């Protein structure tokens, strides 16, 4: 089943979250043939969890610390998140990598923790513009995936991957669906190389300037198994259009 995920980033307060769902849920009522996921900020998880209880729309978190508890001021652990109905956690988003300095090694620790706690991770990978221009896209994506999955090779089916070229995020300049398809096919092939017992259950989502006008073109591609949507997910009507665009 395709996964259409919203990453709200640092947007929408708890009261705005409530208003969002009042508009959004009727627009996607009865849609059961695709997974819909909302990843709000931590402060909105409580209200979102109440609203989405028994609903078909799933809840995810944007970040977490890999330790269970302790002296980590300002951090949130998976034990804390597990008190909400969290189905997914985003790991290795490029804003975490490039603004907050998360390394591939840290991302590996987070991925390990998410798998231990049984919350399905969405691992984000993608090249920066200078890497793309140097022809390094496939190499960068491969390195990010190999290090993230180091020691976790047997678990390749237990996560989803989002291909999000850094230069496409929030710029209004998406990858072409054909370019995304090439990288998605490469990622799927790579997983079979990493794990000889891989069953091919990992979905590869595209993210980066997805909007209601271009979403269906991405979803037509053979290896695009869903979308991770930032800016265009903040408006309930626009995100509902994306959800319904195939
Ligand atoms: P965008 O962000 O849709 O605003 O480009 C996507 C993402 O960062 O996940």
């Amino acid at each position: 089943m395709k996964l259409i995920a919203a990453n709200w980033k640092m947007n929408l307060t708890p009261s705005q979250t409530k208003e969002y769902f009042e508009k959004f849920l009727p627009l996607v009522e009865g849609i059961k043939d695709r997974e819909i996921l909302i990843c709000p900020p931590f402060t909105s998880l409580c209200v979102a969890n109440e609203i989405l209880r028994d609903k078909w729309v799933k809840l995810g978190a944007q970040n977490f610390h890999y330790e269970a508890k302790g002296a980590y001021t300002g951090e949130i652990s998976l034990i804390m998140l597990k008190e909400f109905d969290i189905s997914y956690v985003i790991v290795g988003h490029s804003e975490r990598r490039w603004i907050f300095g998360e390394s591939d090694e840290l991302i590996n620790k987070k991925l390990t923790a998410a798998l231990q706690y049984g919350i399905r991770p969405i691992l984000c990978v993608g090249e920066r513009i200078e890497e793309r221009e140097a022809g390094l896209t496939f190499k960068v994506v491969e390195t990010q995936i190999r290090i993230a999955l180091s020691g976790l090779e047997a678990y390749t089916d237990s996560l989803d991957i989002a291909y999000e070229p850094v230069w496409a995020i929030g710029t209004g300049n998406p990858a072409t669906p054909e370019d995304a398809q090439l990288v998605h096919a490469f990622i799927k092939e790579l997983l079979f190389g990493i794990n000889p017992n891989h069953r091919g259950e990992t979905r590869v989502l595209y993210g980066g300037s997805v909007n209601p006008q271009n979403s269906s073109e991405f979803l037509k591609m053979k290896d695009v198994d869903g979308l991770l949507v930032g800016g265009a997910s903040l408006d309930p009507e626009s995100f509902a259009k994306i959800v319904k665009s195939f």
Side-chain angles (χ1 to χ4, degrees), residues 7 9 93 95 164 168-170 208-210 228-231:
N7 173 13
K9 310 191 180 185
H93 189 278
E95 286 149 20
E164 300 204 306
I169 295 179
S209 295
V210 171
L228 182 55
V229 187

Side-chain angles (χ1 to χ4, degrees), residues 100-161:
F100 300 103
E102 289 196 5
S103 63
D104 286 317
E105 289 71 20
L106 177 70
I107 289 161
N108 171 248
K109 285 187 178 166
K110 288 182 156 196
L111 214 52
T112 308
L115 292 169
Q116 255 168 11
Y117 283 94
I119 304 183
R120 194 170 176 95
I122 299 174
L123 170 68
C124 300
V125 297
E127 80 287 1
R128 288 177 293 167
I129 188 66
E130 57 273 28
E131 293 164 334
R132 181 172 196 87
E133 283 167 356
L136 295 171
T137 298
F138 294 94
K139 191 169 186 300
V140 167
V141 166
E142 176 168 356
T143 304
Q144 288 174 336
I145 292 176
R146 281 194 186 276
I147 301 178
L149 286 174
S150 153
L152 302 169
E153 289 81 0
Y155 298 95
T156 48
D157 287 293
S158 305
L159 74 153
D160 295 309
I161 292 181

Side-chain angles (χ1 to χ4, degrees), residues 210-220 227 241-242 245:
V210 171
N211 60 39
Q213 288 73 47
N214 63 24
S215 52
S216 66
E217 295 306 310
F218 285 105
L219 291 163
K220 273 182 202 152
L227 301 168
K241 275 190 193 143
I242 294 173
S245 64

